Amino acid sequence: MRALVICHEEAAAPAVIGRLLVERGVDVTQHVVLRADGSPPDTAFPALDGFDLVLSFGSFANAYDESVRAWVDPEVALIRTALERDLPFVGVCFGGQLLAEALGGRVERAPVTEIGAVRIEVADAVADAVPAGPWFTWHEDRVVLPDDVEVLGRTDVAVQLFRRGRAVGLQFHPEAEHDLIAGWAAMGPDHLPDGLTTDELLGSWKVSEEQAHENCARLVDWLVETHVPRP
């Protein structure tokens, strides 16, 4: 099995999900859109031919910001191509928001920034496969979906898990781990809500991290076994 992993910043690594895919024998090709050296966005995505799965991860960008559409639009087009081919696609946080747009939905500002460990209300259809939590989340936007998209999980703030066919969107971050979160906090400290320090965020996450990693393993198994067709 071959997977294309799209990262929007070098700090937005696939982390736990990436390791789990490799452990399961998946050949992972990683494409980074925004380089730390300030070079132009790389939207020359690999051809989808030969890939069995595409995953797209997070970003500090806001999908509706006109200043980022020059690199967002090509990725939305890529996602639409994957949908047309019925190629399994998984969008995580920002990647899930781009999936929502490709499906005919939109992204809007959430009423609050949702950050830290959360539990989600999971639909009965996937409750045996997808744990309610804990999961890590960090987002200030949320998706608005067309009526024909299946909502599989939510919190009071936002839709957290949705699906159409073989395409699955997540608002939370199953890939999160201590070092990844610390890197995000260092990269975007202005995105932390007032009064929340990095030490407090990481300290509260430490309590949930081991269980969250176990949850991520179950989620990856569900994503691959349920949505990726076998030869």
Side-chain angles (χ1 to χ4, degrees):
M1 185 184 301
R2 295 186 63 211
L4 171 61
V5 169
I6 299 171
C7 299
H8 301 100
E9 291 106 7
E10 292 176 350
V16 178
I17 289 181
R19 291 198 299 273
L20 287 168
L21 290 174
V22 171
E23 289 172 7
R24 284 152 176 76
V26 179
D27 179 9
V28 175
T29 297
Q30 186 166 312
H31 180 91
V32 180
V33 177
L34 304 175
R35 297 285 182 180
D37 62 8
S39 56
D42 184 359
T43 57
F45 298 104
L48 295 180
D49 299 332
F51 287 108
D52 304 290
L53 173 65
V54 180
L55 304 96
S56 176
F57 285 84
S59 176
F60 278 114
N62 303 99
Y64 46 76
D65 184 347
E66 287 300 322
S67 69
V68 304
R69 295 305 303 192
W71 57 267
V72 166
D73 286 343
E75 184 171 343
V76 173
L78 180 82
I79 297 170
R80 288 184 174 136
T81 298
L83 295 174
E84 291 167 1
R85 297 184 182 186
D86 199 25
L87 177 63
F89 179 89
V90 178
V92 178
C93 198
F94 185 79
Q97 293 168 4
L98 298 192
L99 171 61
E101 182 177 332
L103 291 169
R106 60 185 174 87
V107 183
E108 67 178 14
R109 191 79 170 192
V112 297
T113 295
E114 195 170 31
I115 184 169
V118 296
R119 297 183 68 83
I120 65 177
E121 180 184 345
V122 180
D124 291 344
V126 296
D128 290 341
V130 181
W135 300 106
F136 185 80
T137 191
W138 185 343
H139 66 100
E140 56 195 18
D141 296 328
R142 64 184 181 184
V143 299
V144 179
L145 298 167
D147 292 340
D148 62 348
V149 175
E150 183 182 16
V151 175
L152 297 174
R154 63 172 68 247
T155 62
D156 291 341
V157 175
V159 170
Q160 299 287 338
L161 177 63
F162 61 93
R163 174 174 64 186
R164 184 197 281 171
R166 300 189 194 278
V168 179
L170 315 171
Q171 185 59 75
F172 58 97
H173 285 279
E175 81 282 17
E177 58 186 351
H178 176 279
D179 290 350
L180 189 67
I181 298 169
W184 294 344
M187 182 179 177
D190 53 320
H191 289 265
L192 288 171
D194 291 341
L196 178 64
T197 68
T198 299
D199 287 344
E200 290 170 340
L201 176 62
L202 292 172
S204 64
W205 175 244
K206 184 177 181 180
V207 177
S208 303
E209 185 165 25
E210 182 177 356
Q211 182 61 57
H213 289 183
E214 294 177 9
N215 293 345
C216 185
R218 289 179 60 184
L219 176 69
V220 168
D221 286 340
W222 173 73
L223 289 169
V224 172
E225 293 171 6
T226 306
H227 300 89
V228 181
R230 297 298 180 183

